[in-house]
Amino acid sequence: MKKYCFGIDVGGTTVKCGFFNTDGEVLEKWEIQTRTENNGENILPDIAKSINEKIKERQVNKEDIAGVGIGVPGPVNENGEVPCAVNLHWGYKNLVKEMEEMTGLKTKAGNDANVAALGEMWRGGGVGYHNLIMITLGTGVGGGIIVNEKIITGSHGAGGEIGHAHVEDDMEIACNCGNKGCLEQFASATGISYLARKMMEETDMPSVIRKENVSAKTVFDGVKEGDELAKKVADRFGYYLGKALANFGCVTDPEVFVIGGGVSKAGEVLLDYIKPYYQKYAFSACKDAVFALAKLGNDAGIYGAARLVLE
Amino acid sequence: MKKYCFGIDVGGTTVKCGFFNTDGEVLEKWEIQTRTENNGENILPDIAKSINEKIKERQVNKEDIAGVGIGVPGPVNENGEVPCAVNLHWGYKNLVKEMEEMTGLKTKAGNDANVAALGEMWRGGGVGYHNLIMITLGTGVGGGIIVNEKIITGSHGAGGEIGHAHVEDDMEIACNCGNKGCLEQFASATGISYLARKMMEETDMPSVIRKENVSAKTVFDGVKEGDELAKKVADRFGYYLGKALANFGCVTDPEVFVIGGGVSKAGEVLLDYIKPYYQKYAFSACKDAVFALAKLGNDAGIYGAARLVLE
């Protein structure tokens, strides 16, 4: 019976590291710098070094360690290879093989958004559920699909790329992905800011959100103050997201939708705007799905990565 | 090593039965009547009797039989229980337990549309693939999601109920499910007929499809004759279905979409109208997904049921 595992979340500027027991308690968290120079050739050796030092420092027997789970910002195939990860300056990388050689520990890897979903299932907003869809509302919109406690990776590593579902034919501006009318353009922090600016232009209604740099926070703060225009913007956001989640729901029929990312800091009020549209558009059998806020914040990645290696 | 298995597809009027070898070849097919009277209490005993007779008739050793797979028109949970199956007049039924008691054979059960998807993966349009989405365009629109060769059942048995994705806000007529604007209302045989009638009303354009009972077949026959209005109707159908498939694609990221059901008898021309819209709206990594027509027709259910028990 293994006692410990590592959960590693590789970001573009820092690598978050966690040392866990196999019950899912984090015993220690730390960060190292992500050195992206020279095609990010130091990133994996730096992580391996940090893990090996931690094992020595804590005088842990390697045989008691289940392994190392790693989440990376890019697609990861079933063999643990990364075809390309832009933010890390990586081209092809045989991540699992390299890490296993450098640490002597079993390694598993996954896409960071998918891994975060697994973390929320294990120790966050989705505890007690086995089938969930997580949606992360940050600068963009990320997602992770969990079925029977396993990540749906997809045949091109694009499982859970739900930020790029098409939700609006009448969108002239292109998404970062190249398409027009993606969910991300309306439901991310950037998207909510876009909706606010657009709706402010369309009306003369006085509002507390009429600020130069109106953000998702401005909007939901406005909602809490009872501002009518803020509520209209939030309603439009809820329409796009609730309807999209209803359509994802008829694919994998999850027990719970977990909403995370920076925008979710607005709290329960966010769900008040999403759920009515979800329930309006969802297939009858799916209408009673649970909605929950993510709980682990920036730690979802290390929790999920740790869970990955315990599968 | 088991040599044989049974694949059973229970419909509202007949039960299709297949006796297979474990390589996926059907050795014999036959049908029995579905007796729905008295809450369908005879349906399972009739099937068990037919299976037991077939074993005796063929003088097969029961130990050489892997089991019985059954597809039913309704949700089936992980324990092989059916909460309710309207077309069979069933309320709650512990299907797997009852069948195992009556046949002495391991039994597995699944929803008929999901099971048909598994059949197409095993021996039909999806051969060679492990991740697929099947969509059945019949009177309604059914679906089945396969990930790593397993059916996604969903937490309410509603996995793959993609006919009820919401695709049109401006729909006044209600779907059979109670919602308005479901994919089924535009992409099923009935839906294509609706689109044709609507578009005929909106224009005076002369057309070969101007018939009293314009059907999906009328439309696609018209397309093959080069009829302009028929092509417009087919294009609208392709818009709804292609866009919806693009949105399902970013959930499970399948290798292949398999299109079946009566409407798919139109042939490759059908795909010509779906694929351009799929490619327009799909997430970049998913744009090269394969499109294939189903090959097993009404036998997809017995093949998939047989495959179910070999998992």
Side-chain angles (χ1 to χ4, degrees):
Chain A
M1 193 61 189
K2 304 289 185 180
K3 292 182 189 164
Y4 308 106
C5 60
F6 287 92
I8 311 291
D9 182 18
V10 187
T13 50
T14 59
V15 179
K16 293 188 184 67
C17 306
F19 181 66
F20 290 79
N21 67 26
T22 50
D23 291 331
E25 285 159 341
V26 64
L27 305 175
E28 187 177 345
K29 291 195 290 184
W30 69 102
E31 289 188 4
I32 62 175
Q33 198 197 337
T34 307
R35 293 197 289 152
T36 54
E37 63 271 21
N38 298 323
N39 298 321
E41 65 177 14
N42 295 310
I43 298 174
L44 290 182
D46 286 351
I47 295 169
K49 186 163 165 267
S50 185
I51 287 171
N52 290 330
E53 282 172 3
K54 191 59 63 184
I55 292 169
K56 197 173 279 179
E57 179 194 318
R58 288 193 157 251
Q59 299 183 311
V60 173
N61 192 331
K62 264 204 182 179
E63 285 171 11
D64 287 334
I65 302 177
V68 180
I70 305 192
V72 295
V76 182
N77 71 20
E78 284 179 9
N79 305 318
E81 298 160 313
V82 177
C84 168
V86 179
N87 292 342
L88 306 182
H89 298 198
W90 285 357
Y92 170 86
K93 184 80 65 184
N94 196 334
L95 192 159
V96 162
K97 186 165 169 282
E98 287 188 31
M99 280 300 291
E100 290 190 339
E101 283 172 4
M102 288 188 288
T103 62
L105 293 168
K106 184 180 85 171
T107 300
K108 290 216 177 179
N111 167 269
D112 56 1
N114 292 344
V115 164
L118 195 64
E120 288 289 342
M121 179 201 79
W122 193 35
R123 285 274 153 180
V127 164
Y129 299 104
H130 315 289
N131 293 297
L132 66 81
I133 292 183
M134 178 165 176
I135 187 143
T136 304
L137 309 173
T139 314
V141 168
I145 318 286
I146 308 287
V147 172
N148 295 333
E149 303 194 3
K150 305 265 188 209
I151 291 169
I152 303 284
T153 306
S155 60
H156 310 86
E161 280 288 0
I162 51 186
H164 300 285
H166 179 87
V167 299
E168 179 56 84
D169 285 358
D170 294 331
M171 181 62 170
E172 303 286 327
I173 305 163
C175 179
N176 287 330
C177 79
N179 288 348
K180 289 176 182 172
C182 291
L183 178 60
E184 175 163 304
Q185 295 185 278
F186 305 96
S188 64
T190 329
I192 295 168
S193 162
Y194 163 79
L195 281 177
R197 279 179 281 118
K198 186 163 174 285
M199 293 175 79
M200 285 191 297
E201 277 172 25
E202 288 167 2
T203 171
D204 287 334
M205 194 187 288
S207 167
V208 297
I209 71 168
R210 290 194 181 276
K211 294 177 181 169
E212 201 170 336
N213 290 310
V214 56
S215 67
K217 186 173 185 312
T218 319
V219 171
F220 282 99
D221 285 348
V223 168
K224 289 170 193 166
E225 288 179 44
D227 184 86
E228 288 305 319
L229 185 56
K231 286 197 228 169
K232 277 183 189 288
V233 175
D235 186 72
R236 195 73 187 150
F237 153 84
Y239 159 79
Y240 284 118
L241 185 53
K243 187 163 79 159
L245 294 181
N247 284 353
F248 307 145
C250 67
V251 181
T252 64
D253 182 17
E255 299 162 284
V256 61
F257 291 92
V258 178
I259 318 283
V263 173
S264 72
K265 289 181 187 156
E268 291 286 334
V269 65
L270 199 73
L271 306 185
D272 296 341
Y273 282 91
I274 302 167
K275 278 160 71 176
Y277 285 106
Y278 173 81
Q279 279 155 0
K280 176 175 178 182
Y281 293 115
F283 179 57
S284 49
C286 308
K287 283 189 199 282
D288 67 350
V290 175
F291 279 73
L293 293 170
K295 286 186 180 164
L296 302 176
N298 291 331
D299 288 345
I302 56 169
Y303 276 91
R307 177 66 173 73
L308 204 58
V309 84
L310 299 178
E311 268 181 3
Chain B
M1 193 61 191
K2 305 288 186 180
K3 293 180 187 164
Y4 308 106
C5 60
F6 287 92
I8 311 291
D9 183 17
V10 187
T13 50
T14 59
V15 179
K16 293 188 185 64
C17 306
F19 181 65
F20 290 79
N21 66 26
T22 50
D23 291 333
E25 286 160 339
V26 64
L27 306 174
E28 187 177 344
K29 291 195 289 184
W30 69 100
E31 290 188 3
I32 62 174
Q33 198 196 336
T34 307
R35 293 195 290 152
T36 54
E37 64 271 21
N38 298 323
N39 297 321
E41 65 176 14
N42 295 310
I43 298 174
L44 290 182
D46 285 353
I47 295 169
K49 186 162 166 266
S50 185
I51 287 172
N52 289 331
E53 283 172 1
K54 191 59 64 184
I55 293 170
K56 197 174 277 181
E57 180 194 317
R58 288 192 157 253
Q59 297 183 312
V60 173
N61 192 330
K62 263 202 180 179
E63 286 171 10
D64 287 335
I65 302 176
V68 179
I70 305 192
V72 295
V76 181
N77 72 18
E78 284 179 9
N79 305 319
E81 298 160 313
V82 178
C84 167
V86 180
N87 292 343
L88 306 181
H89 298 198
W90 284 357
Y92 171 86
K93 184 80 65 183
N94 195 335
L95 192 160
V96 161
K97 185 163 170 282
E98 288 189 29
M99 280 301 290
E100 289 190 338
E101 283 172 4
M102 288 188 288
T103 62
L105 294 168
K106 184 180 83 173
T107 301
K108 290 215 176 179
N111 168 268
D112 55 1
N114 292 344
V115 164
L118 195 65
E120 288 289 341
M121 179 202 78
W122 194 34
R123 284 275 153 180
V127 165
Y129 298 105
H130 314 289
N131 293 297
L132 66 81
I133 291 184
M134 179 165 176
I135 188 145
T136 304
L137 309 174
T139 314
V141 169
I145 318 288
I146 308 288
V147 173
N148 294 333
E149 304 196 0
K150 305 265 187 206
I151 291 169
I152 303 285
T153 305
S155 61
H156 310 86
E161 281 288 0
I162 51 186
H164 300 286
H166 180 88
V167 299
E168 179 56 83
D169 285 358
D170 294 331
M171 182 62 170
E172 303 285 328
I173 305 164
C175 178
N176 288 331
C177 79
N179 288 349
K180 289 176 182 174
C182 291
L183 177 61
E184 176 163 304
Q185 295 185 278
F186 305 96
S188 64
T190 329
I192 295 168
S193 162
Y194 163 79
L195 281 177
R197 279 179 282 119
K198 186 162 174 285
M199 294 175 80
M200 286 191 298
E201 276 171 26
E202 288 167 1
T203 170
D204 287 335
M205 193 188 288
S207 166
V208 298
I209 70 167
R210 290 194 181 276
K211 292 176 182 170
E212 201 171 333
N213 290 310
V214 56
S215 67
K217 187 174 185 310
T218 319
V219 171
F220 282 99
D221 284 349
V223 168
K224 288 171 193 165
E225 288 178 44
D227 184 85
E228 287 306 318
L229 186 56
K231 287 196 228 170
K232 277 182 188 287
V233 176
D235 186 71
R236 195 73 188 150
F237 153 85
Y239 159 78
Y240 284 118
L241 184 53
K243 187 163 80 160
L245 293 181
N247 285 352
F248 307 145
C250 66
V251 180
T252 63
D253 182 17
E255 300 163 283
V256 62
F257 290 92
V258 178
I259 318 282
V263 173
S264 72
K265 289 183 186 154
E268 291 286 332
V269 65
L270 198 74
L271 306 185
D272 295 341
Y273 282 91
I274 302 168
K275 278 159 71 177
Y277 285 105
Y278 173 81
Q279 279 154 1
K280 176 175 178 183
Y281 294 115
F283 179 58
S284 50
C286 307
K287 283 190 198 283
D288 67 349
V290 175
F291 279 73
L293 293 169
K295 286 187 180 163
L296 301 176
N298 291 330
D299 288 345
I302 56 169
Y303 276 91
R307 177 66 174 72
L308 204 57
V309 83
L310 298 178
E311 268 181 1

PDB file of all heavy atoms in Angstrom, chain A residues 1 4 17 55 89 107 117 119 121 146 213 215 218 267 270 274 277:
ATOM      1  N   MET A   1       0.839  -1.198   0.000  1.00  0.00           N
ATOM      2  CA  MET A   1       0.000   0.000   0.000  1.00  0.00           C
ATOM      3  C   MET A   1       0.883   1.260   0.000  1.00  0.00           C
ATOM      4  O   MET A   1       1.673   1.473   0.931  1.00  0.00           O
ATOM      5  CB  MET A   1      -0.903  -0.025   1.255  1.00  0.00           C
ATOM      6  CG  MET A   1      -2.040   0.971   1.232  1.00  0.00           C
ATOM      7  SD  MET A   1      -3.188   0.695  -0.155  1.00  0.00           S
ATOM      8  CE  MET A   1      -4.174   2.180  -0.006  1.00  0.00           C
ATOM      9  N   TYR A   4       2.189   7.924  -0.283  1.00  0.00           N
ATOM     10  CA  TYR A   4       2.336   9.314  -0.730  1.00  0.00           C
ATOM     11  C   TYR A   4       2.281   9.442  -2.256  1.00  0.00           C
ATOM     12  O   TYR A   4       2.445   8.454  -2.979  1.00  0.00           O
ATOM     13  CB  TYR A   4       3.690   9.882  -0.264  1.00  0.00           C
ATOM     14  CG  TYR A   4       3.956   9.714   1.197  1.00  0.00           C
ATOM     15  CD1 TYR A   4       4.867   8.760   1.650  1.00  0.00           C
ATOM     16  CD2 TYR A   4       3.291  10.506   2.150  1.00  0.00           C
ATOM     17  CE1 TYR A   4       5.115   8.594   3.009  1.00  0.00           C
ATOM     18  CE2 TYR A   4       3.534  10.343   3.498  1.00  0.00           C
ATOM     19  CZ  TYR A   4       4.440   9.388   3.921  1.00  0.00           C
ATOM     20  OH  TYR A   4       4.682   9.221   5.259  1.00  0.00           O
ATOM     21  N   CYS A  17       3.717  22.743  -6.872  1.00  0.00           N
ATOM     22  CA  CYS A  17       4.036  21.377  -6.493  1.00  0.00           C
ATOM     23  C   CYS A  17       3.328  21.034  -5.189  1.00  0.00           C
ATOM     24  O   CYS A  17       3.204  21.874  -4.302  1.00  0.00           O
ATOM     25  CB  CYS A  17       5.545  21.212  -6.262  1.00  0.00           C
ATOM     26  SG  CYS A  17       6.552  21.752  -7.655  1.00  0.00           S
ATOM     27  N   ILE A  55      12.054  14.283  -1.572  1.00  0.00           N
ATOM     28  CA  ILE A  55      12.076  12.911  -1.055  1.00  0.00           C
ATOM     29  C   ILE A  55      13.217  12.746  -0.062  1.00  0.00           C
ATOM     30  O   ILE A  55      13.054  12.167   1.019  1.00  0.00           O
ATOM     31  CB  ILE A  55      12.223  11.899  -2.220  1.00  0.00           C
ATOM     32  CG1 ILE A  55      10.945  11.911  -3.071  1.00  0.00           C
ATOM     33  CG2 ILE A  55      12.495  10.493  -1.702  1.00  0.00           C
ATOM     34  CD1 ILE A  55      11.070  11.153  -4.388  1.00  0.00           C
ATOM     35  N   HIS A  89       6.769  26.791 -24.306  1.00  0.00           N
ATOM     36  CA  HIS A  89       7.709  26.836 -25.431  1.00  0.00           C
ATOM     37  C   HIS A  89       8.136  25.439 -25.858  1.00  0.00           C
ATOM     38  O   HIS A  89       9.209  25.255 -26.426  1.00  0.00           O
ATOM     39  CB  HIS A  89       8.956  27.698 -25.096  1.00  0.00           C
ATOM     40  CG  HIS A  89       8.625  29.133 -24.805  1.00  0.00           C
ATOM     41  ND1 HIS A  89       9.573  30.124 -24.835  1.00  0.00           N
ATOM     42  CD2 HIS A  89       7.468  29.750 -24.474  1.00  0.00           C
ATOM     43  CE1 HIS A  89       9.006  31.288 -24.518  1.00  0.00           C
ATOM     44  NE2 HIS A  89       7.721  31.071 -24.297  1.00  0.00           N
ATOM     45  N   THR A 107       4.847   7.938 -13.510  1.00  0.00           N
ATOM     46  CA  THR A 107       4.348   9.277 -13.805  1.00  0.00           C
ATOM     47  C   THR A 107       3.104   9.195 -14.679  1.00  0.00           C
ATOM     48  O   THR A 107       3.026   8.350 -15.571  1.00  0.00           O
ATOM     49  CB  THR A 107       5.430  10.106 -14.520  1.00  0.00           C
ATOM     50  OG1 THR A 107       6.579  10.195 -13.667  1.00  0.00           O
ATOM     51  CG2 THR A 107       4.944  11.513 -14.837  1.00  0.00           C
ATOM     52  N   ALA A 117     -10.309  19.497 -13.150  1.00  0.00           N
ATOM     53  CA  ALA A 117     -11.649  18.923 -12.986  1.00  0.00           C
ATOM     54  C   ALA A 117     -11.581  17.693 -12.081  1.00  0.00           C
ATOM     55  O   ALA A 117     -12.417  17.493 -11.188  1.00  0.00           O
ATOM     56  CB  ALA A 117     -12.239  18.555 -14.341  1.00  0.00           C
ATOM     57  N   GLY A 119      -9.333  17.137  -9.825  1.00  0.00           N
ATOM     58  CA  GLY A 119      -9.057  17.637  -8.475  1.00  0.00           C
ATOM     59  C   GLY A 119     -10.329  18.083  -7.767  1.00  0.00           C
ATOM     60  O   GLY A 119     -10.552  17.764  -6.596  1.00  0.00           O
ATOM     61  N   MET A 121     -13.306  17.056  -8.370  1.00  0.00           N
ATOM     62  CA  MET A 121     -14.096  15.854  -8.059  1.00  0.00           C
ATOM     63  C   MET A 121     -13.586  15.185  -6.784  1.00  0.00           C
ATOM     64  O   MET A 121     -14.350  14.750  -5.932  1.00  0.00           O
ATOM     65  CB  MET A 121     -14.012  14.845  -9.214  1.00  0.00           C
ATOM     66  CG  MET A 121     -14.785  13.556  -8.937  1.00  0.00           C
ATOM     67  SD  MET A 121     -14.228  12.164  -9.965  1.00  0.00           S
ATOM     68  CE  MET A 121     -12.724  11.664  -9.073  1.00  0.00           C
ATOM     69  N   ILE A 146     -15.421  14.550 -16.699  1.00  0.00           N
ATOM     70  CA  ILE A 146     -15.092  13.344 -15.932  1.00  0.00           C
ATOM     71  C   ILE A 146     -16.268  12.375 -16.038  1.00  0.00           C
ATOM     72  O   ILE A 146     -17.407  12.752 -15.756  1.00  0.00           O
ATOM     73  CB  ILE A 146     -14.845  13.677 -14.444  1.00  0.00           C
ATOM     74  CG1 ILE A 146     -13.820  14.811 -14.282  1.00  0.00           C
ATOM     75  CG2 ILE A 146     -14.425  12.433 -13.673  1.00  0.00           C
ATOM     76  CD1 ILE A 146     -12.399  14.462 -14.571  1.00  0.00           C
ATOM     77  N   ASN A 213     -12.701  50.604 -17.572  1.00  0.00           N
ATOM     78  CA  ASN A 213     -12.283  49.211 -17.729  1.00  0.00           C
ATOM     79  C   ASN A 213     -13.255  48.277 -17.031  1.00  0.00           C
ATOM     80  O   ASN A 213     -12.936  47.660 -16.024  1.00  0.00           O
ATOM     81  CB  ASN A 213     -10.873  49.015 -17.157  1.00  0.00           C
ATOM     82  CG  ASN A 213      -9.835  49.704 -18.020  1.00  0.00           C
ATOM     83  OD1 ASN A 213      -9.826  49.524 -19.239  1.00  0.00           O
ATOM     84  ND2 ASN A 213      -8.987  50.503 -17.396  1.00  0.00           N
ATOM     85  N   SER A 215     -15.004  45.220 -15.894  1.00  0.00           N
ATOM     86  CA  SER A 215     -14.540  43.833 -15.825  1.00  0.00           C
ATOM     87  C   SER A 215     -15.699  42.938 -15.375  1.00  0.00           C
ATOM     88  O   SER A 215     -16.777  43.427 -15.010  1.00  0.00           O
ATOM     89  CB  SER A 215     -13.407  43.718 -14.812  1.00  0.00           C
ATOM     90  OG  SER A 215     -13.923  43.969 -13.516  1.00  0.00           O
ATOM     91  N   THR A 218     -16.571  44.025 -11.998  1.00  0.00           N
ATOM     92  CA  THR A 218     -17.439  45.215 -12.000  1.00  0.00           C
ATOM     93  C   THR A 218     -18.899  44.797 -12.178  1.00  0.00           C
ATOM     94  O   THR A 218     -19.805  45.286 -11.487  1.00  0.00           O
ATOM     95  CB  THR A 218     -17.082  46.155 -13.181  1.00  0.00           C
ATOM     96  OG1 THR A 218     -15.668  46.228 -13.345  1.00  0.00           O
ATOM     97  CG2 THR A 218     -17.665  47.535 -12.977  1.00  0.00           C
ATOM     98  N   GLY A 267     -19.210  34.181  -6.661  1.00  0.00           N
ATOM     99  CA  GLY A 267     -19.995  33.403  -5.699  1.00  0.00           C
ATOM    100  C   GLY A 267     -21.307  32.875  -6.236  1.00  0.00           C
ATOM    101  O   GLY A 267     -21.518  32.821  -7.452  1.00  0.00           O
ATOM    102  N   LEU A 270     -23.541  33.888  -9.280  1.00  0.00           N
ATOM    103  CA  LEU A 270     -23.213  33.434 -10.623  1.00  0.00           C
ATOM    104  C   LEU A 270     -24.142  32.293 -11.035  1.00  0.00           C
ATOM    105  O   LEU A 270     -24.684  32.266 -12.147  1.00  0.00           O
ATOM    106  CB  LEU A 270     -21.763  32.939 -10.604  1.00  0.00           C
ATOM    107  CG  LEU A 270     -21.032  32.812 -11.911  1.00  0.00           C
ATOM    108  CD1 LEU A 270     -20.677  34.181 -12.446  1.00  0.00           C
ATOM    109  CD2 LEU A 270     -19.757  31.996 -11.713  1.00  0.00           C
ATOM    110  N   ILE A 274     -26.992  31.257 -14.188  1.00  0.00           N
ATOM    111  CA  ILE A 274     -26.749  30.137 -15.113  1.00  0.00           C
ATOM    112  C   ILE A 274     -27.876  29.100 -15.048  1.00  0.00           C
ATOM    113  O   ILE A 274     -28.369  28.625 -16.076  1.00  0.00           O
ATOM    114  CB  ILE A 274     -25.402  29.440 -14.773  1.00  0.00           C
ATOM    115  CG1 ILE A 274     -24.233  30.434 -14.841  1.00  0.00           C
ATOM    116  CG2 ILE A 274     -25.152  28.270 -15.720  1.00  0.00           C
ATOM    117  CD1 ILE A 274     -22.943  29.900 -14.225  1.00  0.00           C
ATOM    118  N   TYR A 277     -31.334  29.188 -17.136  1.00  0.00           N
ATOM    119  CA  TYR A 277     -31.188  28.897 -18.564  1.00  0.00           C
ATOM    120  C   TYR A 277     -30.821  27.429 -18.771  1.00  0.00           C
ATOM    121  O   TYR A 277     -31.286  26.794 -19.719  1.00  0.00           O
ATOM    122  CB  TYR A 277     -30.158  29.830 -19.210  1.00  0.00           C
ATOM    123  CG  TYR A 277     -30.716  31.219 -19.407  1.00  0.00           C
ATOM    124  CD1 TYR A 277     -30.326  32.278 -18.595  1.00  0.00           C
ATOM    125  CD2 TYR A 277     -31.663  31.459 -20.402  1.00  0.00           C
ATOM    126  CE1 TYR A 277     -30.859  33.541 -18.763  1.00  0.00           C
ATOM    127  CE2 TYR A 277     -32.203  32.733 -20.578  1.00  0.00           C
ATOM    128  CZ  TYR A 277     -31.796  33.769 -19.758  1.00  0.00           C
ATOM    129  OH  TYR A 277     -32.332  35.014 -19.929  1.00  0.00           O
TER     130      TYR A 277
END
